[in-house]
Structure formats: C-alpha cells, structure tokens
Amino acid sequence: MARHLFTSESVTEGHPDKICDQISDAVLDAVMANDPNGRVACECATTTGMVFVMGEISAHCHIDIPKIVREVVCDIGYDCANKGFDGNTCAVITSIDEQSSDIALGVDKAGAGDQGMMFGFACDETPELMPLPISLAHKLAARLTEVRKNETMPYLRADGKSQVTIEYDDNNKPVRVDSIVISSHHSEEVGLDQMRDDVVEHIINPTVPAELMDEDTVIYVNPTGRFVIGGPQGDSGLTGRKIIVDTYGGYSRHGGGAFSGKDPTKVDRSAAYAARWIAKNVVAAGLASKCEIEIAYAIGVACPVSVMAETFGTGKLADDKLSEIILEVFDLRPAAIIEALDLRRPIYRQLAALGHVGRTDIDLTWERTDKVDQLKAAAGLK
C-alpha cells in the first residue's frame, strides 16, 4: 500500500448540532435520574433565537424541559445577546408524546428497541486504542473550549471546529500530521493574524506532539478570514447530525443511527457502545492490531441476528473464529448489555460533545479492558 492521507474532524460543545445533542442527552439524564426505566427518544433543533424539543418520552416522573434547555445553553457559553444566542431569553418550544405502544411491545419483553446494525472499532494507533486523526481532532476541539473558558483566548466564542489530516506509510502506520484546520467563532475586535498566532501557541503546540509536525505541515486558521457570526445565529442545529464526529471520524463504518437523546433500550446507542467494548478488548488482548465489530438486530428480538468481526488481516486467528469467541465471552442481548455496562444512569450529556468512544477524561464502562483474559483464554493464548 502506498502512502496515503486520512482526515477526521471534531466540533466543540458550542457547535449548533452539538448544542442539540447536549440538550437531548440532558433531557435523557433528567429522566434516568428520576426513572431509570424510562423510555426516551428526544430530538432537538435550534436556529436564531429558538430551540425546539420534540420526541417521545414515557416515564414516571416530570421533567422541566424548558429549564433544562436554558441551563445547557447557558452552561455552554451562550448566555448573552452579544454572543449571538442567549439561553436566558431564547424561545423554547416543546412537542412531546409517549413512546409508541407498538414499539413498547418489543421492548417490554427485553427485545431490541429497533432493527439496525451498529459498528464498534479499535486500533493500536493511540494509547486509548483510537484512530489518530479523530483522537487529535477531539483534543484540539477540547483545547479550544478550555482556552475560551479559562480566558487564555477570551475573544473566542463557543462554536468551533477542528480537522486533522494524518499521513500513513506503506505499512498503514501514522507517520506525520499533514494539515490542521481550526475554525472558531470569535468576537469582532480580534484580527486574523492575532488569532492565528494564538491558535498555534495556545492550542496546536500544547496538543499535537512535536514529532508529528514538520516544516511541510499546513495550518489553516479560520480559512474564510472571519467567523464573527456563529452558533445557532450562523447555522441551524439538529440532534444526531454529527454521528461520525461521535464515533471514529470516518475511519470505521457506521450503521447510521445517532446516539443522543435515546435511552439504552435503543440498540443504536447501547449496542454501539457494546461493539466498541468488544473491539477494544480484542485489540487490548493482542488478538488484532485493528478490529471492527458489527452487530445487527431485529426489533423486538433479544439475540442479535448477526455478529461479525473484521481484523483487516491483522488478527491472530481467523475472523470467523474470532466472531465465535466473541459470542462466547459477551452477552449481546440488549438487557444484558444495559446491565453489563450500567447504562441506566444519568451519564449521557457528558458524552454529547468530544465523542462517545475513546474518552480518557471520563470513566466509561465500554472503555474498560475487562474481558482481555477471557478472550485470551477462549482463543487459547496465554
């Protein structure tokens, strides 16, 4: 394989789509805190001066959705009109119904909440066993938020994006950063030259390992030259529109289902976490240096209709044998996943920006390598 480039992006918590993801998951957290068995499918849209929350919620509790919306928006940093959006004064519209009784029939008997396929992935490119492009993109986006909130760069606003292009050698190993793109909403008074200098000094240099950068690395900062109009004023937002940012940055396949706003009976969420759990344990066990897991379900049926492991030629045993071992070690019925990963908890808003997988700042059950010994034993390895 010849040398090639691969690119992934991330976005900050103030990106309009991510505002919506966080609101949807904050609503879910409120339900999980009061009724862990509640059913939630909550979506959100936002535009200039307005947030619209819609969906289906069946729970034995009352939650104040407008209050949650305002708290999330203000906490992100949109708390006054001169930032283009104000959680204190924006309109909040809600349209909530109960979960369909037809869907509930399958979920009530511990079946999957929907059909579909979910993917999980891990590789040995980083300590957290994630692809390097999305790992660096998330770290840059996190740093954008950090320097805004600690006022190292006080002129920044909450909306921002990062993008990292990595060059891979002919052994498919990452060797250097080819380019970095940083775009961030900012106040009127800052100039592009100052912003570029500050981004390099305070964001890129502390985040990207120096050995991955060279004189040919290209850095773009606000490539249009101006980003004063941002957030929901500059672009509408919608829950579930950043599913590639939420997972592996395009490095692995994706089943298409979003995570945010869905309780764990929805396998779009719980099985995707389980697939990451499996893939990470496979790589951590040394059974492969790269592993992708696909799990598929039929609505109302507990056992998956298929489980497939793909190791891209890096496996210590055949992929079909690895798939058999996975089914021996992991119980992939939705109720079993929920119990094993302890998913009926208010843990979800913290996942709604900077990725649902590969996190090192949060202790997530699906990021634990607690099945390594079982996998090795089942594979006949010491």
Side-chain angles (χ1 to χ4, degrees):
M1 181 183 295
R3 291 192 172 216
H4 65 282
L5 303 177
F6 191 88
T7 302
S8 294
E9 71 160 346
S10 183
V11 298
T12 64
E13 63 179 1
H15 185 281
D17 294 330
K18 277 290 147 205
I19 295 172
C20 295
D21 286 343
Q22 289 167 92
I23 290 170
S24 293
D25 274 337
V27 171
L28 172 60
D29 279 351
V31 173
M32 291 289 103
N34 291 280
D35 181 6
N37 293 308
R39 308 274 173 78
V40 180
C42 176
E43 297 184 350
C44 178
T46 184
T47 188
T48 304
M50 189 192 80
V51 175
F52 177 33
V53 182
M54 70 205 100
E56 298 78 44
I57 299 176
S58 297
H60 298 292
C61 62
H62 170 74
I63 57 171
D64 188 340
I65 292 178
K67 181 180 179 182
I68 292 170
V69 169
R70 298 189 189 283
E71 288 176 348
V72 170
V73 172
C74 288
D75 183 59
I76 288 169
Y78 293 110
D79 54 6
C80 61
N82 66 6
K83 296 178 182 178
F85 198 72
D86 185 356
N88 298 295
T89 59
C90 67
V92 179
I93 303 169
T94 62
S95 180
I96 303 294
D97 203 347
E98 293 184 344
Q99 183 181 63
S100 162
S101 58
D102 293 344
I103 294 174
L105 286 173
V107 179
D108 289 343
K109 62 180 183 180
D114 202 352
Q115 69 175 46
M117 62 283 189
M118 300 83 214
F119 288 90
F121 182 80
C123 64
D124 60 4
E125 292 182 12
T126 62
E128 64 271 26
L129 303 185
M130 286 285 287
L132 183 59
I134 189 64
S135 178
L136 288 178
H138 280 325
K139 289 174 182 176
L140 289 167
R143 183 67 179 163
L144 262 175
T145 297
E146 181 181 355
V147 298
R148 170 176 62 89
K149 290 190 170 182
N150 68 19
E151 297 191 340
T152 299
M153 296 172 66
Y155 53 80
L156 292 184
R157 300 292 184 244
D159 189 2
K161 288 185 174 184
S162 62
Q163 184 171 284
V164 178
T165 300
I166 298 293
E167 181 179 327
Y168 287 79
D169 65 16
D170 54 5
N171 292 313
N172 206 29
K173 299 295 183 183
V175 293
R176 59 180 292 273
V177 174
D178 186 76
S179 67
I180 296 171
V181 183
I182 300 290
S183 296
S184 183
H185 186 195
H186 58 85
S187 61
E188 184 81 45
E189 63 267 16
V190 66
L192 182 60
D193 290 341
Q194 179 191 344
M195 186 163 177
R196 179 184 170 84
D197 290 344
D198 287 350
V199 164
V200 172
E201 179 182 355
H202 298 300
I203 297 174
I204 295 175
N205 288 346
T207 303
V208 181
E211 62 270 20
L212 292 176
M213 305 275 285
D214 58 34
E215 64 274 11
D216 294 323
T217 299
V218 179
I219 296 174
Y220 296 98
V221 176
N222 282 5
T224 70
R226 177 183 167 91
F227 192 175
V228 173
I229 300 172
Q233 183 185 24
D235 193 9
S236 61
L238 186 66
T239 298
R241 205 158 55 181
K242 285 290 177 284
I243 58 176
I244 300 304
V245 171
D246 287 341
T247 51
Y248 308 99
Y251 202 98
S252 170
R253 286 172 284 194
H254 196 293
F259 301 157
S260 290
K262 297 178 181 177
D263 75 77
T265 67
K266 279 74 171 175
V267 284
D268 277 341
R269 175 165 231 154
S270 53
Y273 294 167
R276 163 63 178 174
W277 183 36
I278 296 167
K280 188 171 183 180
N281 275 270
V282 167
V283 173
L287 298 181
S289 60
K290 184 184 294 186
C291 181
E292 183 182 78
I293 303 295
E294 184 200 39
I295 310 170
Y297 292 87
I299 188 169
V301 180
C303 291
V305 298
S306 69
V307 176
M308 183 197 75
E310 168 67 68
T311 59
F312 307 94
T314 71
K316 294 291 182 63
L317 61 163
D319 288 345
D320 58 344
K321 178 62 176 176
L322 180 58
S323 299
E324 293 174 7
I325 289 171
I326 287 166
L327 286 170
E328 293 175 19
V329 174
F330 295 89
D331 187 343
L332 296 176
R333 295 172 299 169
I337 292 172
I338 291 169
E339 181 178 358
L341 299 182
D342 195 12
L343 297 180
R344 294 193 185 277
R345 296 178 291 145
I347 60 172
Y348 296 106
R349 186 196 156 188
Q350 63 185 338
L351 304 172
L354 304 177
H356 293 246
V357 293
R359 299 290 290 268
T360 59
D361 57 325
I362 310 169
D363 181 18
L364 300 175
T365 51
W366 53 94
E367 292 297 319
R368 297 175 185 173
T369 52
D370 52 352
K371 296 292 187 179
V372 165
D373 291 341
Q374 287 177 258
L375 285 168
K376 285 182 176 180
L381 300 177
K382 294 183 180 180

